[in-house]
Amino acid sequence: MQCVLSNHYLRNIAWKWVYKLWNILFMFYKQIEENSTRQSEDLGSQFTEIFIKQQENVTLLLSLLEEFDFHVRWPGVKLLTSLLKQLGPQVQQIILVSPMGVSRLMDLLADSREVIRNDGVLLLQALTRSNGAIQKIVAFENAFERLLDIISEEGNSDGGIVVEDCLILLQNLLKNNNSNQNFFKEGSYIQRMKPWFEVGDENSGWSAQKVTNLHLMLQLVRVLVSPTNPPGATSSCQKAMFQCGLLQQLCTILMATGVPADILTETINTVSEVIRGYQVNQDYFASVNAPSNPPRPAIVVLLMSMVNERQPFVLRCAVLYCFQCFLYKNQKGQGEIVSTLLPSTIDATGNSVSAGQLLCGGLFSTDSLSNWCAAVALAHALQENATQKEQLLRVQLATSIGNPPVSLLQQCTNILSQGSKIQTRVGLLMLLCTWLSNCPIAVTHFLHNSANVPFLTGQIAENLGEEEQLVQGLCALLLGISIYFNDNSLESYKKEKLKQLIEKRIGKENFIEKLGFISKHELYSRASQKPQPNFPSPEYMIFDHEFTKLVKELEGVITKAIYKSSEEDKKEEEVKKTLEQHDNIVTHYKNMIREQDLQLEELKQQVSTLKCQNEQLQTAVTQQVSQIQQHKDQYNLLKIQLGKDNQHQGSYSEGAQMNGVQPEEIGRLREEIEELKNNQELLQSKLTEKDSVIENLKSSQTSGTNEQSSAIVSAGDSEQVAELKQELATLKSQLNSQSVEITKLQTEKQELLQKTEVFAKSVEVQGETETVIATKTTDVEGRLSALLQETKELKNEIKALSEERTAIKEQLDSSNSTIAILQTEKDKLELEITDSKKEQDDLLVLLADQDQKILSLKNKLKDLGHPVEEEDELESGDQEDEDDESEDPGKDLDHI
């Protein structure tokens, strides 16, 4: 007992010393953190480096965190957090290699003491920062479940700083970590995010902490659907957000009143990335209406904010990003936006404003930022959509009263020639470049205006300042697009003439130099990094992300097109024609081979069906044969049974005659039975008479009492009363005697009935032999007639079965003949297959020759400086695969 007490006393002393030591270390680190000088920071990192030089110190610290004592656990959490802040990567590596290190730290989230739990969240924040391995371990230690529970317990967006810390930790776990994002989605944790955004349409209650929490929640949603994530993971998260109603809740906040500006801006950005590239979400967003009178589409309301110069710059950028995401890979939405500009769909009454009208209004307003935003938005409506580029050529604008309408394309070039602000001209040039690329019809319309080409050449040829160099580069790009996508339909502006014009007025080297100004601009690389237009101020809003992709695609192609001569262009066109012819030949043979394969498949199916039918007929024949054999066996058994029944019938009749009863005795017994029945009927009639007498007496008794009372009342004669009393007494005595006789008769009746039943049973036993003989003879005669009838029926069935057997044999012979015919047809088809394969081999030889010619032509093209497209190389690679696969005649040729 003393030993146990001494151990307990020593342990308490040890814990007190540990607690004092940790307090000293904690105070030391706290003093280091409070001191903002560089010397103190260096001292703290040096002290941390000394502490973690021996990894056993960190391991010991992790083991001590398992103690539940508050004075041990809480200082340990603070000390480990300070170590991570000083030398995070080194401490992370030590914790990562220590056994159960991360699991011990995860237990802090389950601590019932909020101080330790909250500091544990801060510790995990420092631990998971920029370390994917630890992030995965923490996530698979059920961190998402615990953190979401804490957020829910604290009140979601209405919670305090604990909710903020949990959201920061969730961002550390999910950002740029595809594994954790997939685990978060598959664990159905996205559905638990919906209550975060149930803020309602409140004009008050937006505290600073609530704004911070909701801002972090929106950022967490954006982490899951970021454009930098893999497309498959992003689309699956977008699908889950729509199915659980999270997108609907975000749109509710988007259209609500009283929402702070920064929350509204972040909500617009979040909705943008939730719908970006996912058709279902884009269609839903197109159907959202603002709560106005009359209701307006949410897209129209947002565009009104974008072209309004009084709105905050950040909000206008967010609306532009939302519009871009709505149109990203959404040809249906692009068509709807362009259709609002066409004459047939414009509202003549002017009661409602459409998206197209807002874009045109912003495109030609006096605000340069509105010009740029509207031009970029309209360019996204044309992105990778040749149909809408052609449709937009139909748009006509009324510039002034009395003047004829002008096309949208011509109006854009007119504004360019007027010398507006640089931001406006850059936006219009980006719109025109996007519009004309991959659209020869739009290029023809652009070149049809004779003032456009001189304007572009004049802009490119001038020596202007650095601010105008970007405009010169965009003009060079637009002119290069007009050359590269020119179909030579205009005689005065063919490719060769335009290149000669460039060489005379600008010079090829100067043109290429001006074209390179675009990619060398300092804002070009910044815009090419992310699709979101994120600029510090309107002056930096120059390039669009999708336009930078177009520049990368066309810059090299235009450079090569400028340096090509007319002969090279002709050769290139000839090569293209030969390649097209070759492609047509290849496609023709491919179609022939596919048709032959289909025919072969159909014939194979026919052969297989005929084989199945033959097997079915054979099985039917075997079944019929077995049924005939069964009927024969049954017929033989019936014949045997019929002979046995005849023998039994003869022996049974003889026995009946020997053991029979004399007919005199039977007659006597019948007479006795008849007498008993007559006696019974007499007794029954007597009983009925007695019952009628009793009823009459009862009725006379009641009538007598009535007459007595009336006599007393009327006459009052005492003598009559006495006589009546005597008569009543005699009647009562008669009634009693009769009732006794009735009971006796009833008992006699019961006895007689019992006797008759016993006697009838005995008579039946005695006379059974007579009745049995009669019934048995009739039964035997009936069975004989039935057996004869059955034999006749069996004979008929056997005859019918023999006829069926002959018919089946005839069918079998016919099926065998059809099988022989099919076999001959199969042999013919196999011969045809071998012939077709020989023809295919010949065709493949021809294709190989054609490939050799193509390769030689490609080499010539490469020598001439023309780039060979990847589709041609893939086609040649497919042809080589076809040659390899043609060596095996059993393979399927559908891929050819």
Side-chain angles (χ1 to χ4, degrees):
M1 185 68 181
Q2 291 178 356
C3 182
V4 172
L5 289 172
S6 62
N7 289 333
H8 184 67
Y9 176 72
L10 291 172
R11 187 178 179 185
N12 288 334
I13 293 172
W15 280 125
K16 287 180 181 179
W17 278 105
V18 170
Y19 177 63
K20 289 180 180 179
L21 178 61
W22 280 3
N23 281 332
I24 293 168
L25 290 171
F26 174 66
M27 294 300 293
F28 180 74
Y29 277 112
K30 190 175 181 181
Q31 185 178 1
I32 292 172
E33 290 175 358
E34 290 175 354
N35 192 356
S36 61
T37 61
R38 186 171 183 178
Q39 182 179 0
S40 63
E41 290 178 357
D42 294 339
L43 184 61
S45 61
Q46 290 174 8
F47 184 81
T48 304
E49 187 175 358
I50 294 169
F51 184 81
I52 67 174
K53 185 173 285 186
Q54 294 182 354
Q55 297 185 4
E56 293 82 5
N57 295 333
V58 180
T59 306
L60 178 62
L61 183 59
L62 291 171
S63 63
L64 291 173
L65 288 177
E66 294 181 348
E67 292 292 334
F68 188 75
D69 190 356
F70 178 81
H71 300 291
V72 176
R73 201 170 202 180
W74 184 63
V77 172
K78 303 293 284 184
L79 177 59
L80 191 56
T81 306
S82 300
L83 293 173
L84 286 166
K85 287 181 179 179
Q86 292 295 329
L87 293 175
Q90 292 86 338
V91 180
Q92 285 174 348
Q93 193 62 31
I94 295 171
I95 295 172
L96 188 61
V97 298
S98 64
M100 298 296 290
V102 179
S103 300
R104 292 171 181 172
L105 298 178
M106 286 298 301
D107 293 337
L108 298 173
L109 297 179
D111 200 307
S112 59
R113 294 160 294 191
E114 292 187 359
V115 177
I116 295 177
R117 185 198 67 184
N118 299 341
D119 286 338
V121 173
L122 296 175
L123 171 61
L124 290 171
Q125 280 183 21
L127 180 66
T128 56
R129 191 174 290 115
S130 303
N131 194 310
I134 293 178
Q135 289 170 3
K136 291 179 183 178
I137 296 171
V138 171
F140 283 95
E141 287 285 343
N142 206 19
F144 293 138
E145 184 76 27
R146 296 182 183 181
L147 291 173
L148 292 173
D149 288 340
I150 294 171
I151 292 171
S152 179
E153 290 171 2
E154 294 292 328
N156 295 326
S157 60
D158 294 323
I161 196 170
V162 178
V163 175
E164 180 183 351
D165 294 336
C166 291
L167 291 170
I168 293 171
L169 178 55
L170 284 172
Q171 284 191 15
N172 290 347
L173 295 174
L174 293 173
K175 196 169 186 178
N176 299 323
N177 195 319
N178 298 327
S179 175
N180 284 359
Q181 289 175 8
N182 189 33
F183 180 69
F184 190 85
K185 176 186 69 68
E186 292 180 353
S188 300
Y189 297 119
I190 292 177
Q191 287 80 348
R192 296 187 62 179
M193 298 170 70
K194 183 187 174 184
W196 296 354
F197 305 102
E198 294 176 354
V199 295
D201 189 7
E202 299 176 359
N203 295 321
S204 60
W206 290 93
S207 62
Q209 187 61 53
K210 182 175 181 178
V211 171
T212 303
N213 292 342
L214 200 57
H215 199 273
L216 289 170
M217 290 171 178
L218 292 169
Q219 287 181 349
L220 190 62
V221 175
R222 294 184 65 186
V223 166
L224 295 171
V225 292
S226 175
T228 58
N229 294 342
T234 301
S235 61
S236 60
C237 290
Q238 289 171 333
K239 181 180 179 182
M241 289 177 183
F242 175 75
Q243 290 177 346
C244 72
L246 180 58
L247 175 60
Q248 292 85 332
Q249 199 66 43
L250 292 173
C251 291
T252 303
I253 298 174
L254 190 67
M255 295 290 106
T257 58
V259 180
D262 52 349
I263 294 297
L264 182 60
T265 303
E266 191 64 24
T267 304
I268 294 172
N269 289 326
T270 306
V271 171
S272 305
E273 294 182 352
V274 172
I275 68 173
R276 186 176 188 269
Y278 192 69
Q279 188 67 48
V280 177
N281 293 2
Q282 289 169 338
D283 292 341
Y284 170 77
F285 183 71
S287 65
V288 175
N289 289 323
S292 60
N293 192 13
R296 289 178 177 173
I299 298 171
V300 174
V301 175
L302 292 174
L303 287 177
M304 291 172 69
S305 301
M306 186 186 74
V307 298
N308 188 356
E309 56 185 318
R310 290 177 294 179
Q311 293 292 337
F313 171 69
V314 181
L315 180 63
R316 298 174 75 181
C317 291
V319 173
L320 177 61
Y321 183 48
C322 184
F323 191 74
Q324 291 174 354
C325 292
F326 170 67
L327 297 178
Y328 182 71
K329 294 183 180 180
N330 184 10
Q331 293 190 352
K332 179 183 176 183
Q334 289 175 333
E336 291 174 353
I337 297 298
V338 173
S339 65
T340 58
L341 286 165
L342 298 178
S344 59
T345 57
I346 294 175
D347 188 6
T349 60
N351 294 329
S352 61
V353 181
S354 65
Q357 292 173 348
L358 289 171
L359 290 176
C360 282
L363 194 63
F364 307 124
S365 70
T366 57
D367 181 25
S368 61
L369 184 59
S370 297
N371 301 150
W372 191 92
C373 291
V376 171
L378 198 55
H380 277 263
L382 306 175
Q383 200 77 37
E384 298 179 357
N385 196 330
T387 304
Q388 302 309 323
K389 291 177 182 179
E390 295 176 4
Q391 288 291 323
L392 200 63
L393 295 171
R394 298 170 49 202
V395 177
Q396 300 290 324
L397 301 174
T399 55
S400 60
I401 300 173
N403 293 327
V406 181
S407 67
L408 179 61
L409 184 65
Q410 184 60 41
Q411 185 65 19
C412 291
T413 56
N414 292 338
I415 294 172
L416 278 175
S417 61
Q418 292 172 3
S420 55
K421 294 180 182 180
I422 292 177
Q423 194 174 33
T424 302
R425 285 182 285 165
V426 169
L428 290 172
L429 285 168
M430 287 194 297
L431 172 60
L432 290 173
C433 290
T434 306
W435 194 348
L436 269 62
S437 63
N438 294 298
C439 188
I441 299 174
V443 172
T444 304
H445 279 73
F446 178 76
L447 295 175
H448 194 270
N449 188 356
S450 58
N452 289 337
V453 174
F455 169 74
L456 293 177
T457 55
Q459 289 286 321
I460 299 167
E462 290 182 4
N463 292 322
L464 303 173
E466 294 182 358
E467 294 181 352
E468 296 291 334
Q469 286 182 353
L470 178 59
V471 177
Q472 287 181 327
L474 291 171
C475 289
L477 179 64
L478 183 58
L479 187 57
I481 289 170
S482 302
I483 294 170
Y484 186 74
F485 294 105
N486 193 345
D487 58 356
N488 295 324
S489 59
L490 292 175
E491 185 66 28
S492 57
Y493 290 110
K494 288 185 176 182
K495 287 184 179 181
E496 188 60 30
K497 291 184 178 181
L498 289 173
K499 286 192 284 186
Q500 291 175 2
L501 185 65
I502 289 172
E503 190 172 1
K504 288 179 182 179
R505 296 189 179 181
I506 304 169
K508 292 182 178 180
E509 290 78 9
N510 190 20
F511 180 84
I512 300 303
E513 183 183 357
K514 297 293 177 67
L515 183 63
F517 286 162
I518 301 173
S519 57
K520 292 178 182 177
H521 199 277
E522 58 182 355
L523 297 176
Y524 176 85
S525 60
R526 182 172 182 176
S528 62
Q529 293 175 0
K530 292 182 179 180
Q532 181 182 1
N534 190 8
F535 306 102
S537 62
E539 292 79 15
Y540 291 89
M541 207 167 189
I542 299 296
F543 286 107
D544 176 53
H545 177 75
E546 293 296 328
F547 181 74
T548 58
K549 293 181 180 179
L550 184 66
V551 172
K552 288 179 184 178
E553 180 184 348
L554 296 178
E555 187 175 4
V557 175
I558 291 171
T559 303
K560 291 179 181 179
I562 293 298
Y563 281 108
K564 282 180 183 177
S565 61
S566 59
E567 295 178 356
E568 290 175 349
D569 287 335
K570 290 179 181 178
K571 289 180 180 179
E572 182 181 350
E573 289 178 359
E574 290 177 358
V575 170
K576 285 182 179 179
K577 288 181 181 178
T578 55
L579 289 173
E580 288 177 358
Q581 291 176 358
H582 173 265
D583 291 337
N584 292 329
I585 293 168
V586 171
T587 53
H588 175 67
Y589 283 125
K590 284 181 179 179
N591 292 328
M592 286 179 61
I593 291 167
R594 286 194 184 95
E595 290 176 358
Q596 290 177 358
D597 290 335
L598 291 173
Q599 291 176 0
L600 287 172
E601 288 295 329
E602 290 177 357
L603 292 171
K604 287 179 181 178
Q605 289 178 359
Q606 289 178 3
V607 170
S608 62
T609 53
L610 289 171
K611 285 182 179 178
C612 293
Q613 289 178 1
N614 186 18
E615 291 176 356
Q616 289 176 0
L617 290 171
Q618 288 179 354
T619 53
V621 168
T622 53
Q623 288 177 0
Q624 293 291 336
V625 170
S626 62
Q627 287 179 2
I628 290 166
Q629 188 63 37
Q630 288 177 1
H631 287 301
K632 284 183 178 180
D633 296 337
Q634 289 177 1
Y635 177 68
N636 293 327
L637 289 172
L638 289 170
K639 286 175 73 177
I640 294 166
Q641 287 180 359
L642 184 60
K644 289 182 179 180
D645 289 335
N646 291 328
Q647 292 176 2
H648 282 296
Q649 182 181 0
S651 62
Y652 182 75
S653 61
E654 291 175 357
Q657 290 175 1
M658 291 172 67
N659 298 322
V661 182
Q662 296 297 324
E664 295 176 356
E665 293 180 357
I666 292 169
R668 185 175 55 79
L669 291 171
R670 286 180 179 175
E671 290 176 357
E672 289 179 357
I673 290 167
E674 289 294 330
E675 289 178 358
L676 290 171
K677 286 181 178 180
N678 292 326
N679 291 329
Q680 186 179 1
E681 289 176 357
L682 289 172
L683 291 172
Q684 189 70 28
S685 61
K686 287 182 180 180
L687 284 173
T688 53
E689 289 177 358
K690 295 294 182 182
D691 289 334
S692 61
V693 171
I694 290 166
E695 291 294 331
N696 292 326
L697 288 173
K698 286 181 179 179
S699 60
S700 62
Q701 184 179 0
T702 54
S703 62
T705 53
N706 293 328
E707 290 174 357
Q708 182 182 359
S709 60
S710 60
I712 290 170
V713 173
S714 59
D717 194 353
S718 60
E719 292 177 356
Q720 292 179 356
V721 171
E723 290 176 357
L724 291 171
K725 286 182 178 180
Q726 289 177 359
E727 290 177 358
L728 181 62
T730 54
L731 288 172
K732 285 182 178 180
S733 61
Q734 289 178 1
L735 182 62
N736 292 327
S737 62
Q738 288 176 357
S739 62
V740 171
E741 289 179 359
I742 288 166
T743 53
K744 287 181 180 179
L745 290 171
Q746 286 178 351
T747 54
E748 289 177 358
K749 179 184 176 182
Q750 293 294 332
E751 291 176 356
L752 289 171
L753 287 172
Q754 291 176 358
K755 288 179 181 180
T756 53
E757 287 176 359
V758 172
F759 184 75
K761 287 180 182 179
S762 63
V763 171
E764 286 177 357
V765 171
Q766 292 175 359
E768 184 179 3
T769 56
E770 182 184 357
T771 56
V772 165
I773 290 167
T775 54
K776 288 287 177 101
T777 55
T778 54
D779 290 336
V780 169
E781 290 176 356
R783 288 179 66 185
L784 284 172
S785 62
L787 287 171
L788 291 171
Q789 187 67 28
E790 286 180 359
T791 53
K792 289 180 181 179
E793 289 176 356
L794 287 172
K795 287 179 181 179
N796 293 327
E797 286 180 0
I798 290 165
K799 186 177 180 181
L801 288 172
S802 62
E803 291 176 356
E804 288 179 1
R805 183 179 179 184
T806 54
I808 289 166
K809 284 182 179 180
E810 291 175 358
Q811 291 179 0
L812 184 61
D813 295 333
S814 62
S815 63
N816 289 327
S817 62
T818 53
I819 289 165
I821 293 166
L822 290 172
Q823 188 67 32
T824 55
E825 289 180 357
K826 182 180 178 182
D827 296 333
K828 289 179 181 179
L829 289 172
E830 288 177 353
L831 291 172
E832 290 177 0
I833 290 165
T834 53
D835 294 334
S836 63
K837 287 180 179 178
K838 289 178 182 179
E839 290 177 2
Q840 290 175 6
D841 294 333
D842 297 334
L843 292 174
L844 292 172
V845 171
L846 290 173
L847 291 173
D849 294 335
Q850 291 290 335
D851 287 335
Q852 294 297 327
K853 291 179 182 179
I854 292 165
L855 289 173
S856 63
L857 291 172
K858 286 180 180 177
N859 292 325
K860 288 180 181 180
L861 286 172
K862 289 180 180 179
D863 295 334
L864 293 172
H866 183 269
V868 179
E869 296 180 357
E870 293 179 1
E871 293 179 357
D872 297 335
E873 294 176 358
L874 290 172
E875 188 68 23
S876 63
D878 291 338
Q879 189 63 37
E880 290 174 3
D881 293 337
E882 290 168 6
D883 293 336
D884 293 335
E885 290 178 358
S886 65
E887 294 175 3
D888 187 4
K891 289 186 177 179
D892 191 7
L893 299 174
D894 289 338
H895 65 281
I896 298 176

